[in-house]
Amino acid sequence: MILHELISFEYLRLIWWLLLGVLLIGFALTDGFDMGVGILLPFVAKTDVERRVVINTVGPVWEGNQVWFILGGGAIFAAFPPLYAVSFSGFYLAMFAILSALIIRPVAFKFRSKREDATWRSRWDKALFYSGFVPALIFGVAVGNVLLGVPFHLTPDLHAIYEGGAFGKLFGLLRPFALLCGIVSVAMLVMHGAGWLVLKTDGGIAQRARKLGSRAALVVMAGYALAGMWLAVGIDGYSLVGQVPHDGPSNPLASQVLREGSWLLAYLERPWIAIAPAMGFVGSFMAWRALQGEGQFSPLGWSKMALFGLISSVGLTIFPFLLPSKSQPDSSLTIWDASSSHLTLFVMLGATVIFLPLILLYTAWVYRVLWGKVTQKDVSDPDHHAY
């Protein structure tokens, strides 16, 4: 038996769908609070010293956190290349906006404190806000568009054709339901960032973070509930027709797809997946309660639970779809027909088994070394490196 045949093609596709979810959720849990802190920066810090305290809570870790974003993008590219090709080519203006924000962020961290001028520093503070707000909004809008269906179709030679032209690919994404998902995404990361600031700061910064974070948690719960009701009554879901071979060749046009019913029918077919939205609601509610109280650690823990539940609920709801097509449902991409080859997935899994635990161990070590609160004394001490 050939080595890679030890794990069937079907199970490898399923494993990589799960790993992709793990990587994207890992990005949200780590780099998500960085973005939330950036959004909160103008509102929780009233003086330059306070702003430096806020920035120094994420300054030493944001770069490592962004590794999860790179891993997620790499996993899409290697495990599901049609998904990478169709989504990145169709959403390239939106992707450029995200990348511009992620490029501006390190520049802002490095250059903000190079001059004492208040105007200079204020401009970089705005850049940090932009670098947090824009990705948070666009990621949420993207999720909303996946649930709505993306306006593309595949030609017989699997070339993706998008409707609406170049600017339509950007502004066409701003549909009401997608904007609601974007608002939930921003509020979710603000809640998460507030939990981080409660953990890493004290005094006025922490109190303001509690106030804003608790409001964001209420927006998350209300927005998520509204999105669920909208899905139930106003948005058609997708379903595969007949038995689709789970170990067949990767050809999206080989499957027949119907657009009818509701995405929420998945909860009747697989009732156990209801644990995901339950975690989202419970985590958000408990994060709100913790932010209202005086606990130091629980807000961040509960917000992590909320993010895990909210994000995983999307993937579980649309399974096995990766990118539904609005204009031609038969062109929709699923995990069964948009993956790499059997051998490629097996080799990648072997590399992941080796390197992912090392990344987790290194990340845990870094956070252990950097444990503790950032104070005004820390950022004012010339013997300590501070942003």
Side-chain angles (χ1 to χ4, degrees), residues 153-170:
H153 68 272
L154 299 174
T155 64
D157 59 355
L158 301 184
H159 176 64
I161 305 296
Y162 276 81
E163 302 173 357
F167 286 98
K169 295 175 184 177
L170 178 60

Side-chain angles (χ1 to χ4, degrees), residues 16 344-359:
W16 270 104
T344 299
L345 296 181
F346 181 81
V347 172
M348 289 170 54
L349 181 61
T352 302
V353 169
I354 295 171
F355 291 107
L356 186 58
L358 295 177
I359 294 172

Side-chain angles (χ1 to χ4, degrees), residues 140-197:
V141 168
V143 169
N145 277 276
V146 170
L147 290 165
L148 288 167
V150 179
F152 78 94
H153 68 272
L154 299 174
T155 64
D157 59 355
L158 301 184
H159 176 64
I161 305 296
Y162 276 81
E163 302 173 357
F167 286 98
K169 295 175 184 177
L170 178 60
F171 297 107
L173 302 178
L174 304 179
R175 294 179 275 181
F177 178 80
L179 287 173
L180 173 62
C181 293
I183 292 170
V184 173
S185 175
V186 172
M188 181 175 69
L189 296 191
V190 168
M191 174 183 69
H192 198 40
W196 176 255
L197 288 176

Side-chain angles (χ1 to χ4, degrees), residues 109-141:
F109 277 127
K110 297 299 182 183
F111 281 89
R112 182 192 184 278
S113 294
K114 297 299 183 182
R115 293 174 58 182
E116 298 289 341
D117 181 64
T119 302
W120 167 272
R121 293 188 172 186
S122 175
R123 288 171 179 169
W124 289 118
D125 292 339
K126 293 175 182 176
L128 288 171
F129 171 83
Y130 170 84
S131 67
F133 178 80
V134 169
L137 179 66
I138 293 179
F139 284 136
V141 168

Side-chain angles (χ1 to χ4, degrees), residues 23 25-35 61-62 64-69 192 304 307 363 367:
L23 294 174
I25 291 173
F27 169 62
L29 295 182
T30 55
D31 210 34
F33 68 71
D34 295 348
M35 295 180 189
V61 298
W62 72 267
N65 293 341
Q66 202 161 282
V67 167
W68 293 95
F69 179 64
H192 198 40
K304 287 182 178 180
L307 264 66
T363 301
Y367 279 94

Side-chain angles (χ1 to χ4, degrees), residues 14 30 52 59 96 133 140 149 168 173 182 194-195 217 224 227 283 322 338-339 342-343:
L14 187 59
T30 55
R52 292 190 67 202
F96 183 81
F133 178 80
L173 302 178
Y224 187 64
L322 296 170
S339 74
H342 193 167
L343 178 60

Side-chain angles (χ1 to χ4, degrees), residues 295-342:
Q296 294 293 314
F297 307 106
S298 54
L300 185 64
W302 288 117
S303 70
K304 287 182 178 180
M305 177 180 172
L307 264 66
F308 183 90
L310 295 172
I311 297 171
S312 61
S313 69
V314 177
L316 292 170
T317 298
I318 69 173
F319 177 86
F321 289 91
L322 296 170
L323 192 68
S325 170
K326 177 185 177 183
S327 54
Q328 188 181 90
D330 286 349
S331 294
S332 300
L333 306 181
T334 74
I335 69 170
W336 310 126
D337 56 26
S339 74
S340 293
S341 68
H342 193 167

